[in-house]
Amino acid sequence: MLLCVVTAAAQRQPTRSAGDATAGKALFEGAGTCVTCHSIETSGQKRAPDLRWIGMLRAEESLRRAVATHRSTPALSAADIDHLVAYLRTL
């Protein structure tokens, strides 16, 4: 009985749609303007931290908050933020 209750509760949890890492990379390098300050290894600028390990260092929600509240990030849709987070998680 307890297993049924836990399973039913888990099924009702809202799930966030996963972003597309390829679209996230395109945003990072283009309209998202991330590379104007950040680098990933040797590509990009060095005015802000190198993000080559960020996907291993931060949890998904932490990355989402950082992207959504970054002062230099242009206005991004929720889908764009999901795409950027998906890309950063591959680093």
Side-chain angles (χ1 to χ4, degrees):
M1 176 74 159
L2 180 60
L3 179 59
C4 293
V5 172
V6 171
T7 302
Q11 290 173 347
R12 282 192 294 257
Q13 295 289 330
T15 57
R16 184 173 279 282
S17 61
D20 177 348
T22 302
K25 182 177 183 185
L27 279 167
F28 187 91
E29 294 172 347
T33 69
C34 307
V35 344
T36 59
C37 297
H38 292 281
S39 63
I40 297 176
E41 294 188 34
T42 58
S43 38
Q45 298 296 314
K46 308 273 190 242
R47 289 183 272 169
D50 185 326
L51 299 178
R52 79 180 108 191
W53 299 102
I54 200 70
M56 294 174 64
L57 297 173
R58 287 200 178 183
E60 185 174 344
E61 274 308 309
S62 174
L63 285 170
R64 185 169 281 106
R65 267 191 316 276
V67 170
T69 61
H70 196 287
R71 68 176 187 263
S72 297
T73 303
L76 298 170
S77 69
D80 286 345
I81 291 170
D82 285 344
H83 296 325
L84 278 170
V85 168
Y87 172 61
L88 293 172
R89 298 280 293 156
T90 68
L91 302 177

